[in-house]
Amino acid sequence: QVQLVESGGGLVQPGGSLRLSCAASGITFSIYVAAWYRQVPGKQRELVAAITTGGRTNYADSVKGRFTISRDNAKNTVNLQMNSLKPEDTAVYYCNGNNAVRSVWGQGTQVIVSS
């Protein structure tokens, strides 16, 4: 079955770093536009970062310069390196893959930035 499995979430102090990974199975992830979204209770899910099949990236203004999205096609994964984390980054982070015929979502992983 098609599946995106996220890992790497957890508790981190402000100013710290965390690396999220999204491992795909049942699809060749490299032919999908990949993205990370996040959602906070009471707010809409928002796009954090995206990467095209050609490697072009796009970031939300709030994370630009701090987060980096990348893909490792040999491992069929997409990663999100998060640096200089702020309490405002606390959210459930979701991995997404999209192409012409389908959109696939991961289960979400919790990130808590707190002292």
Side-chain angles (χ1 to χ4, degrees):
Q1 189 186 3
V2 173
Q3 192 174 40
L4 300 180
V5 179
E6 297 155 317
S7 62
L11 175 65
V12 64
Q13 295 184 176
S17 297
L18 213 56
R19 187 175 184 87
L20 306 183
S21 295
C22 176
S25 59
I27 60 168
T28 300
F29 211 1
S30 61
I31 64 172
Y32 287 70
V33 175
W36 288 92
Y37 290 76
R38 67 186 181 188
Q39 188 166 27
V40 178
K43 293 186 63 180
Q44 293 188 70
R45 189 173 298 186
E46 66 171 338
L47 178 65
V48 176
I51 184 167
T52 69
T53 58
R56 179 182 173 184
T57 59
N58 182 253
Y59 299 93
D61 288 342
S62 59
V63 308
K64 201 167 297 183
R66 300 188 297 121
F67 290 11
T68 303
I69 188 171
S70 63
R71 58 200 323 165
D72 187 339
N73 292 336
K75 296 180 179 178
N76 211 30
T77 62
V78 171
N79 302 303
L80 185 68
Q81 179 67 47
M82 305 185 294
N83 299 325
S84 302
L85 283 161
K86 305 174 180 180
E88 308 90 86
D89 296 318
T90 296
V92 177
Y93 284 72
Y94 297 89
C95 180
N96 170 260
N98 185 72
N99 69 7
V101 298
R102 73 184 300 170
S103 184
V104 185
W105 289 91
Q107 78 286 352
T109 185
Q110 179 79 240
V111 172
I112 300 174
V113 185
S114 176
S115 299

